[in-house]
Each structure stands twice: as structure tokens, then as C-alpha cells.
Amino acid sequence: MPELLIKKKIILIVDHSFFIIERITGILNEAEVVERILTATDFEDEVKNLQENEIDIILMDIGLTNKTGIALLKIIAGHYPESKIVFLSNQVSEY
């Protein structure tokens, strides 16, 4: 049976924790559908990655150190609507 052609994705992981970034990167590298994994730990890094790359999927912590994920969502939705966003959080507080 012929192998299905799946477009490999460019994924951006945004989290203030390097441990979380490393864990998610390890899991995604095993998936074999990832073209490239980019990482950011704050707002400025995320915006720079978005400006310089065509990101397919963003895995983002809802509680970052200098802006909330919700604030970033508004920017992403307005400027990069083709990117899909998945929020991650282990925080108990509400946004």
C-alpha cells in the first residue's frame, strides 16, 4: 500500500519553562510529521518567530511572564489567522 503523503508541520512551542519545551519537543520529534520545531519563552521571541516563519501550529502556555496567552491570541488571530493555536497550562487561576 502506498505511503500517505502528509505535509510536515512547522510548530512553535511557547512556554516560560525550558523543561516543558524540552518535553514537548521530544514527544513531537517522535511523531515524524514535524518539519521543524521552533521555541520561544516570551512574547518578543514568539512575535519574532511568527514574523520570520510560516507557523502551522502554536502550542502556547496561557500564562507567560510578560503577557498572557490571551493577549497573544488577539495578535495572532489578527495577523496570522492561518496558524492553529493550542493553549497549554497547569495553572489553576482563570483567564
Side-chain angles (χ1 to χ4, degrees):
M1 186 161 75
E3 191 173 313
L4 294 176
L5 295 176
I6 299 173
K7 180 186 177 281
K8 293 193 173 194
K9 305 293 183 190
I10 298 174
I11 298 176
L12 173 59
I13 304 168
V14 185
D15 198 294
H16 63 278
S17 168
F18 289 108
F19 173 76
I20 298 296
I21 289 174
E22 287 178 5
R23 295 289 301 194
I24 295 172
T25 298
I27 292 167
L28 291 173
N29 278 328
E30 294 177 12
E32 297 182 10
V33 294
V34 177
E35 177 182 326
R36 190 166 27 135
I37 298 173
L38 305 168
T39 63
T41 57
D42 60 27
F43 173 78
E44 288 80 16
D45 287 344
E46 179 173 11
V47 170
K48 181 178 178 185
N49 274 305
L50 286 165
Q51 291 172 338
E52 296 176 356
N53 302 280
E54 290 186 28
I55 308 295
D56 296 301
I57 301 169
I58 302 167
L59 303 175
M60 181 168 49
D61 187 359
I62 200 165
L64 300 171
T65 52
N66 52 357
K67 288 221 187 237
T68 68
I70 301 299
L72 289 170
L73 171 64
K74 293 175 183 176
I75 294 169
I76 295 165
H79 292 79
Y80 310 98
E82 66 285 348
S83 296
K84 307 300 182 219
I85 302 168
V86 177
F87 278 112
L88 307 171
S89 184
N90 66 354
Q91 296 183 3
V92 181
S93 64
E94 293 182 25
Y95 282 92

